Amino acid sequence: MSTFQERVKPNIPPAMWNYARSGWYGFYRASLWPGALFHPWRRKSIRNLERYKNIHAGERCFIIGNGPSLKKTDLTYLRNEFTFGMNRIYLMFQELGFTSTYYLSINSLVIEQCADDIIQLQVPKFLSWRSREYIKQALN
């Protein structure tokens, strides 16, 4: 038996299908807001974020992403700078000779697969709300 999507999609122009799909996804995401908005962890998170507001005002910071180009880039110049390391950057900390000032990940798959490693990081972490179930033990 075929799914509704398999039966309908071939008969709808791609542009219209994409519009409908993005509309549904937007509706779905909006339905998650009440839970996120009133969850006690979110309120705690907002209070924690307040201590970082303007903490580095007027100073420069760098976001270190991921990818093969990092192996070809001399990041030692960032040693004494404020940095946000993303996703699995911690795998390079020893090679870099420094850790990032902050850790950031909004990739739910990375957070799910690497939750134990992320929890062990000794830097302030900024993680996606969607991945909260993978990091509950870090909240205690």
Side-chain angles (χ1 to χ4, degrees), residues 37-54:
L37 195 59
F38 299 110
H39 195 281
W41 181 74
R42 183 175 186 274
R43 289 191 303 269
K44 179 182 176 186
S45 178
I46 289 170
R47 285 191 306 272
N48 288 339
L49 280 173
E50 287 174 358
R51 74 177 123 152
Y52 293 101
K53 184 177 181 180
N54 295 324

Side-chain angles (χ1 to χ4, degrees), residues 80-110:
N80 297 314
E81 301 286 352
F82 295 108
T83 56
F84 285 83
M86 297 188 65
N87 296 325
R88 299 194 69 196
I89 189 69
Y90 56 85
L91 296 174
M92 290 188 67
F93 285 168
Q94 189 171 19
E95 183 180 330
L96 292 173
F98 69 94
T99 61
S100 60
T101 313
Y102 303 102
Y103 175 79
L104 168 71
S105 184
I106 59 169
N107 185 323
S108 297
L109 187 59
V110 168

Side-chain angles (χ1 to χ4, degrees), residues 1-12 17 20:
M1 178 176 238
S2 64
T3 66
F4 176 77
Q5 179 178 343
E6 291 170 342
R7 290 187 308 243
V8 173
K9 187 175 180 180
N11 301 314
I12 297 178
W17 179 261

Side-chain angles (χ1 to χ4, degrees), residues 112-139:
E112 177 183 5
Q113 293 175 347
C114 307
D116 292 335
D117 293 339
I118 294 168
I119 290 166
Q120 298 299 316
L121 294 175
Q122 298 298 311
V123 298
K125 300 170 208 53
F126 300 92
L127 303 171
S128 142
W129 162 261
R130 294 182 315 268
S131 305
R132 67 192 175 280
E133 65 266 16
Y134 307 120
I135 54 153
K136 280 184 181 177
Q137 55 186 305
L139 303 176

